[in-house]
Amino acid sequence: MAPPPRADIRRPAPRAVLELLKPITWFPPIWAFMCGVVSSGQPASGHWIAVIVGAMLAGPLVCGNSQAINDWFDRHVDAINEPNRPIPSGRIPGRWGLGIACAGTVLSFAVGAALGTWVMVATVIGLASAWAYSAPPFRLKASGWWGPALVGLTYEGLSWFTGAAVMTSALPSTPVLIVLVLYSLGAHGIMTLNDFKAVEGDIQTGVRSLPVVLGVRKAALLACGVMALAQVIVAVFLLREGLTLSALIVAGVLAAQFALMPRLLSDPARHTPWYSATGVSLYVLGMLAAAGGLGGHW
């Protein structure tokens, strides 16, 4: 009789773990966190340790952990779309992917709690969102409406909230909350564009992303419209708050995005990576301009 199969006790290489955490995805939440720091109006001097730890929380910890969670529950989809990812390729063997996700959740919560009550609240919401996005029974990523909305909220809104809360140890001001919510809603469009790369795997696995449900062109039109509408409202709000320079900068970067959109819409599947590097970069520059005005820096 053949001996029973032995459990896979190999340990993943540090490089594979780092790849699992997708460092390239850390930039958006760290940028939003820094927008929160700027919007608080507080000087960075005397807060450098909290700022550095908070940036680590927003990027490598909460965002990185969300990538590990997503890769574990998406391992069958990745076997189709990205078979060289650490889990489907076997470089993260056995149940190590799940273990890394669980350990990251505990560590992220501990760091968030150490940074104060409001940061802890934001961290708990972010971690719960990461699990609800990827894991059953919720698996909100299967919806082209709820999934991008949740990611936009956590990547942009909660990270911005965390940056402001780290600096003030209090609930951010109402104008800051309004602007971060608007940019979070606009980020729904960014997340929709991000879904274009996985259309084939989404179709095969039943994920109803907007490119699958609406078609690539209509999804691209919707993404552009959502991003633009959010920025229009931000610019108007800033103008009403007397932050004229910030409003003009937001309007200016939006005008530049309008100039780029026709190329994206001419062939969304082909030009989405290009637009992500250009139009989305302009979008986040507008975020910083708005944060600077809210923080009284200009």
Side-chain angles (χ1 to χ4, degrees), residues 90-139:
R91 289 179 291 124
I92 301 286
R95 298 177 67 83
W96 272 93
L98 180 60
I100 291 169
C102 292
T105 298
V106 173
L107 179 59
S108 297
F109 173 78
V111 173
L115 288 173
T117 301
W118 286 109
V119 176
M120 180 184 69
V121 170
T123 301
V124 169
I125 295 173
L127 292 170
S129 298
W131 284 94
Y133 178 79
S134 299
F138 300 105
R139 194 160 169 75

Side-chain angles (χ1 to χ4, degrees), residues 141-221:
K141 73 169 297 174
S143 166
W145 298 104
W146 289 108
L150 191 64
V151 176
L153 169 68
T154 53
Y155 270 44
E156 307 295 354
L158 283 177
S159 297
W160 187 318
F161 182 100
T162 300
V166 160
M167 298 299 290
T168 62
S169 299
L171 181 69
S173 67
T174 298
V176 169
L177 291 175
I178 289 172
V179 171
L180 71 84
V181 167
L182 288 169
Y183 271 114
S184 298
L185 294 174
H188 189 290
I190 299 175
M191 299 306 123
T192 297
L193 293 177
N194 190 55
D195 285 337
F196 286 0
K197 70 179 186 298
V199 172
E200 180 181 348
D202 288 347
I203 292 173
Q204 293 184 37
T205 56
V207 174
R208 294 179 59 80
S209 66
L210 290 186
V212 171
V213 173
L214 301 179
V216 170
R217 178 170 174 76
K218 288 183 178 179
L221 280 167

Side-chain angles (χ1 to χ4, degrees), residues 188-282:
H188 189 290
I190 299 175
M191 299 306 123
T192 297
L193 293 177
N194 190 55
D195 285 337
F196 286 0
K197 70 179 186 298
V199 172
E200 180 181 348
D202 288 347
I203 292 173
Q204 293 184 37
T205 56
V207 174
R208 294 179 59 80
S209 66
L210 290 186
V212 171
V213 173
L214 301 179
V216 170
R217 178 170 174 76
K218 288 183 178 179
L221 280 167
L222 179 65
C224 290
V226 168
M227 293 168 65
L229 179 60
Q231 292 171 91
V232 168
I233 299 174
V234 167
V236 171
F237 176 77
L238 292 173
L239 196 61
R240 294 191 60 173
E241 290 289 304
L243 304 175
T244 305
L245 179 57
S246 290
L248 289 174
I249 295 174
V250 171
V253 297
L254 176 57
Q257 290 166 66
F258 277 129
L260 299 174
M261 286 177 186
R263 184 182 181 192
L264 168 67
L265 297 174
S266 69
D267 189 348
R270 177 182 178 186
H271 295 309
T272 290
W274 166 80
Y275 190 79
S276 295
T278 54
V280 174
S281 296
L282 290 167

